[in-house]
Amino acid sequence: MDSRFFFFCFLLLLLNLDYTVVLVNGSGAGVFKVSYKFAGSERTLSALRAHDVRHLNILAGVDLPLGGTGRPDAVGLYYAKIGIGTPPKDYYVQVDTGSDITWVNCIQCHECPKRGYHGIELTLYDPNDSLTGKLVTCDREFCKEISRSSFSGCSANSSCLYTEGYGDGSYSMGYFVEDIVQYDRVSGDLQTKLANGSVIFGCGARSKDLGSSDDALDGILGFGKTNSSMISQLASSGRVRKMFAHCLDGVNGGGIFAIGHVVQPQVNTTPLVPNQPHYNVNMTAVQVGLDYLNLTTDIYTAGDNNGAIIDSGTTLAYLPEVIYVPLVKKILSWQMDLKLRTLHDIYTCFDYSGSVDDAFPPVTFHFENSLHLKVYPGEYLFPFEDLMCLGFQNSGMQSQDKQNITLLGDLVLSNKLVLYDLVNQTIGWTEYNCSSSIKVKDELTGSVHLVGAHSLSRGCILNVPMVLFSLLLMALLHGFLTELL
């Protein structure tokens, strides 16, 4: 390897890209470059709380006009760089499984920041600047389904409007457009080619409190269950199977987010609870070490939502009080001399300097079809200000309406390949090395392609524009040094 390779990696490192979203279709697979938003920085407890509280309010049934769909807050955990329009422009959008609508901020949004997280230059979408952009009218089936009812004054030729509201008072509102979304199609082992598809998404004209200029992004890339989500639209056009998987590396950062038929590793699954807006599954027991919590089976089906919600857009894990209290008591009983402290009124923390994996028990959640999800102490405990804090939270104390829900976020999903199969209405997972690779199948040819994890702080992926830019810069530097010598 020569110095140019390391120089290329340094330039890509400046972009702070961490992992990849892969799409598999009839002629191959496609890739979105995805970055972990908090990479290289410490998350404050208040930031975690703001991020997850918005999810809890949405998932607990906050009234969302135009369809009641859940979507995340603007403090994203990871985001993708995608191309939209003809000619394409780059947009940085949060990728989230709890959101059904994809949207980006539009030219009419005067209060939207021009620069976002880590100084990213944000782009306001203008449908008039794209040769393929067009408005979505009220008579389109998409509009009828997303609104679930007719709106007064929404005639056939009127624009189809959307509003996404949150329990903390923030919102985004605008109108739907249809345009080309561009991504990289996987054409072989670790090889890609350019591909695109037509997608309907929201054009955000107004927003409130959806992120300051320090953490703002261009919008949301929705991977929810309904027909309006990105995965559903691409699947309905025959470009992908209605399946996707993510593997979030909790050790090194980065990982894989793949859309399509993952054939390796194999994953055991459990049925999705029918007629639910999110990815809900039936939990049957909770185990701490070798001991099961002494709870009746009806406890796991009680509460304000049917089943446990699996959501990669949420950071921590939220449990109803009847599960949370005995769980925390059992965990802390392994170290009787702990001096507990409560931070921000909700986080249970304590001073501990030893190995948490040696001192505390694993927690195992059990589900239908004998599927289990084991969470190790190093995953459910996180350091903050020289303390160790529990990532399990009492959901009744978090959401504004005090609803008790079970919501399992990245805290328990990291270091596992999680597979969402909307074709068979199942979800499953397996413990996995998320810095390794998976195999995805080309449905047309039957060939299997290797897809590796991406964390560009540890490695580097080259593309032609970056190579040309790097070569030019190296040449200029070489000439400058030559003159000096």
Side-chain angles (χ1 to χ4, degrees):
M1 280 179 203
D2 60 22
S3 60
R4 287 178 296 178
F5 176 83
F6 295 102
F7 183 69
F8 300 157
C9 291
F10 173 73
L11 288 175
L12 289 173
L13 176 61
L14 293 179
L15 296 178
N16 197 31
L17 297 176
D18 281 322
Y19 54 96
T20 296
V21 177
V22 181
L23 287 88
V24 183
N25 57 23
S27 57
V31 177
F32 290 130
K33 296 295 191 303
V34 178
S35 175
Y36 183 63
K37 186 170 181 181
F38 291 114
S41 63
E42 294 185 2
R43 292 173 289 180
T44 65
L45 293 185
S46 59
L48 287 177
R49 183 181 185 182
H51 174 268
D52 286 352
V53 163
R54 291 184 183 177
H55 261 275
L56 286 165
N57 284 319
I58 292 300
L59 296 172
V62 170
D63 185 18
L64 299 179
L66 296 177
T69 58
R71 60 164 292 259
D73 65 288
V75 183
L77 291 180
Y78 54 92
Y79 58 91
K81 177 184 176 182
I82 61 174
I84 300 178
T86 306
K89 294 182 179 180
D90 291 336
Y91 296 85
Y92 295 88
V93 287
Q94 179 187 345
V95 182
D96 188 77
T97 61
S99 177
D100 291 309
I101 294 177
T102 294
W103 62 267
V104 295
N105 286 320
C106 276
I107 194 68
Q108 293 91 346
C109 187
H110 300 297
E111 66 270 26
C112 291
K114 300 298 186 294
R115 287 192 176 274
Y117 180 74
H118 275 190
I120 291 175
E121 185 175 349
L122 302 179
T123 302
L124 296 177
Y125 174 79
D126 187 350
N128 294 323
D129 283 347
S130 173
L131 297 176
T132 48
K134 55 186 177 182
L135 298 178
V136 174
T137 54
C138 292
D139 58 344
R140 292 282 297 272
E141 191 62 34
F142 179 94
C143 187
K144 295 177 181 178
E145 183 172 337
I146 202 71
S147 65
R148 295 184 180 178
S149 63
S150 299
F151 285 87
S152 175
C154 190
S155 60
N157 294 324
S158 299
S159 294
C160 182
L161 306 178
Y162 81 92
T163 301
E164 294 284 69
Y166 297 87
D168 61 358
S170 61
Y171 64 81
S172 171
M173 62 173 59
Y175 53 94
F176 284 108
V177 296
E178 183 174 7
D179 209 340
I180 297 296
V181 173
Q182 192 175 81
Y183 55 90
D184 294 326
R185 177 176 58 84
V186 171
S187 55
D189 286 352
L190 306 178
Q191 298 178 358
T192 63
K193 292 182 178 179
L194 209 58
N196 60 63
S198 181
V199 173
I200 295 176
F201 56 92
C203 192
R206 292 187 61 189
S207 66
K208 177 186 177 183
D209 299 333
L210 286 177
S212 66
S213 58
D214 294 331
D215 57 26
L217 294 172
D218 284 313
I220 299 294
L221 190 62
F223 282 89
K225 284 180 63 178
T226 72
N227 292 334
S228 62
S229 70
M230 177 69 72
I231 178 67
S232 297
Q233 291 191 59
L234 291 174
S236 66
S237 65
R239 296 182 178 276
V240 300
R241 292 196 70 185
K242 209 171 182 180
M243 306 168 67
F244 66 94
H246 59 69
C247 195
L248 307 179
D249 192 334
V251 178
N252 303 304
I256 303 169
F257 195 116
I259 300 176
H261 188 186
V262 178
V263 295
Q264 187 177 330
Q266 294 185 346
V267 175
N268 294 327
T269 61
T270 187
L272 288 171
V273 178
N275 303 318
Q276 294 295 311
H278 304 287
Y279 297 106
N280 295 50
V281 290
N282 285 320
M283 191 162 65
T284 58
V286 178
Q287 183 181 357
V288 182
L290 298 177
D291 300 326
Y292 286 83
L293 295 185
N294 187 21
L295 301 173
T296 59
T297 55
D298 63 311
I299 291 295
Y300 300 104
T301 57
D304 303 302
N305 280 270
N306 194 356
I309 300 170
I310 306 297
D311 180 19
S312 68
T314 298
T315 306
L316 305 178
Y318 297 83
L319 302 166
E321 186 170 357
V322 290
I323 300 176
Y324 170 80
V325 171
L327 171 64
V328 171
K329 183 178 180 181
K330 194 73 172 179
I331 292 173
L332 297 179
S333 70
W334 281 55
Q335 298 293 325
M336 299 300 295
D337 57 345
L338 294 176
K339 295 182 179 179
L340 302 182
R341 293 177 55 186
T342 301
L343 300 183
H344 294 270
D345 298 325
I346 56 172
Y347 295 98
T348 300
C349 305
F350 50 86
D351 186 8
Y352 192 82
S353 58
S355 170
V356 294
D357 284 314
D358 294 334
F360 295 91
V363 174
T364 305
F365 298 97
H366 293 264
F367 301 86
E368 283 185 346
N369 284 5
S370 301
L371 182 66
H372 68 272
L373 182 64
K374 180 175 285 189
V375 189
Y376 296 93
E379 295 170 336
Y380 67 72
L381 290 168
F382 63 93
F384 182 76
E385 293 183 353
D386 298 324
L387 300 174
M388 296 301 298
C389 299
L390 279 168
F392 295 119
Q393 298 291 299
N394 183 343
S395 60
M397 297 293 292
Q398 304 300 313
S399 57
Q400 291 185 359
D401 48 13
K402 306 301 180 185
Q403 295 199 49
N404 282 290
I405 65 174
T406 301
L407 176 60
L408 305 180
D410 291 345
L411 174 87
V412 302
L413 301 179
S414 62
N415 306 314
K416 299 167 185 68
L417 181 76
V418 184
L419 175 63
Y420 303 72
D421 184 352
L422 296 180
V423 176
N424 298 301
Q425 289 295 297
T426 62
I427 190 172
W429 46 78
T430 185
E431 291 187 15
Y432 200 65
N433 178 6
C434 296
S435 64
S436 60
S437 61
I438 63 174
K439 291 183 178 180
V440 294
K441 184 179 180 180
D442 186 318
E443 296 297 326
L444 183 62
T445 65
S447 60
V448 175
H449 300 308
L450 187 67
V451 177
H454 292 274
S455 182
L456 296 181
S457 59
R458 293 180 283 114
C460 135
I461 300 174
L462 303 182
N463 58 57
V464 173
M466 186 62 72
V467 170
L468 293 178
F469 172 76
S470 302
L471 289 174
L472 176 60
L473 188 55
M474 287 292 290
L476 292 173
L477 288 173
H478 180 268
F480 177 72
L481 292 174
T482 301
E483 290 181 5
L484 289 178
L485 298 174

